[in-house]
Amino acid sequence: EVQLLESGGGLVQPGGSLRLSCAASGSSFNTYVMSWLRQTPGKGLEWVADIYTGQMKMKTYHSDSLRGRFTISRDDSKSTLYLQMNSLSAEDTAVYYCAKLSGSGTYALSAYFSLWGRGTLVTVSS
Amino acid sequence: ESVLTQSPATLSLSPGERATLSCRASQSVSNNLLAWYQQKPGQAPRLLIYAASNRATGIPARFSGSGSGTDFTLTISSLEPEDFAIYYCQLRREWPPYIFGQGTRLEIK
């Protein structure tokens, strides 16, 4: 059974940067469309970014509000997903999840989140 | 922008009872691309239902989804103790691609 495990969270000062990682078990990571999401008590669950497979040129999509500060990437040789976060503020404090996308119908590759990691807490505070 | 409204915010029921959770979209959900998730304290969400009415792998038959257009329902036919959790609906659209509801807390009465 595939499992996802995030790491890299922690306490960071406002204006700082952090890189999150998500390691996938199993041998088919290169076929997965992957996402980052975050969750806060105030705003609930929020989508951050998607990255498609090498066959789809690793196309990426980012939330409008986070584009320019957050960047999703992947290293299929390491079965690992990344999220680079820059210029962090208190509003970015959240639990960050990586998730595997699955699809149906019009969105055959990316309609719902079929597998989630356990999450990693990012706290932005001085 | 499409919004998902879940009701009720909190539902208090006893084990063995039937639970009916609602999710209403402000615009029609194309191809019924609506999913339901369960989240327990300290855990990640878990996919229950996709495409409005399809149970995900390993999900018990007491969970069912229905609806189309703007109104969707998650039904738990007979509550087990492990079903008390927060439930979220999520739609897929062109942009922004994923919208989540604010959640319904299912608590033990």
Side-chain angles (χ1 to χ4, degrees):
Chain A
E1 179 180 311
V2 176
Q3 292 189 330
L4 303 173
L5 184 62
E6 303 91 339
S7 62
L11 177 63
V12 60
Q13 291 192 334
S17 298
L18 210 56
R19 188 176 83 156
L20 305 182
S21 299
C22 169
S25 64
S27 58
S28 301
F29 179 77
N30 64 318
T31 67
Y32 300 163
V33 181
M34 297 295 296
S35 275
W36 285 101
L37 305 99
R38 67 184 185 180
Q39 185 173 30
T40 62
K43 294 185 72 175
L45 284 162
E46 179 184 12
W47 170 73
V48 173
D50 285 351
I51 187 165
Y52 283 71
T53 64
Q55 274 199 327
M56 298 185 69
K57 304 184 189 304
M58 294 194 185
K59 180 72 175 172
T60 62
Y61 297 89
H62 295 81
S63 165
D64 287 339
S65 63
L66 300 175
R67 190 180 302 116
R69 294 196 302 122
F70 286 22
T71 303
I72 190 172
S73 63
R74 66 191 297 162
D75 185 339
D76 289 344
S77 70
K78 297 180 179 179
S79 296
T80 301
L81 177 73
Y82 301 102
L83 183 67
Q84 178 67 42
M85 305 186 295
N86 299 328
S87 302
L88 288 163
S89 70
E91 287 68 40
D92 297 314
T93 294
V95 176
Y96 285 75
Y97 296 101
C98 64
K100 175 183 179 292
L101 276 160
S102 297
S104 61
T106 305
Y107 298 100
L109 298 176
S110 57
Y112 50 89
F113 305 96
S114 55
L115 180 67
W116 298 62
R118 297 176 65 177
T120 187
L121 176 63
V122 172
T123 303
V124 184
S125 175
S126 55
Chain B
E1 180 174 303
S2 187
V3 172
L4 284 179
T5 302
Q6 293 188 241
S7 61
T10 302
L11 184 58
S12 299
L13 294 170
S14 300
E17 289 193 292
R18 181 185 187 89
T20 304
L21 287 67
S22 174
C23 177
R24 176 166 289 178
S26 57
Q27 301 175 21
S28 184
V29 179
S30 64
N31 296 307
N32 291 334
L33 288 173
L34 187 112
W36 290 93
Y37 302 85
Q38 176 194 67
Q39 187 176 31
K40 297 180 180 179
Q43 297 184 18
R46 176 177 71 145
L47 178 68
L48 298 176
I49 301 288
Y50 65 92
S53 60
N54 297 276
R55 270 191 305 277
T57 302
I59 301 303
R62 64 181 181 273
F63 291 90
S64 64
S66 62
S68 64
T70 60
D71 291 300
F72 298 87
T73 300
L74 174 69
T75 301
I76 311 172
S77 59
S78 178
L79 285 165
E80 298 287 342
E82 62 267 28
D83 298 337
F84 292 92
I86 299 175
Y87 292 83
Y88 296 95
C89 56
Q90 170 250 319
L91 66 78
R92 178 55 157 113
R93 55 167 293 170
E94 186 171 353
W95 195 267
Y98 313 99
I99 303 293
F100 287 88
Q102 81 280 16
T104 289
R105 180 182 303 272
L106 179 56
E107 64 178 26
I108 299 177
K109 187 173 183 180

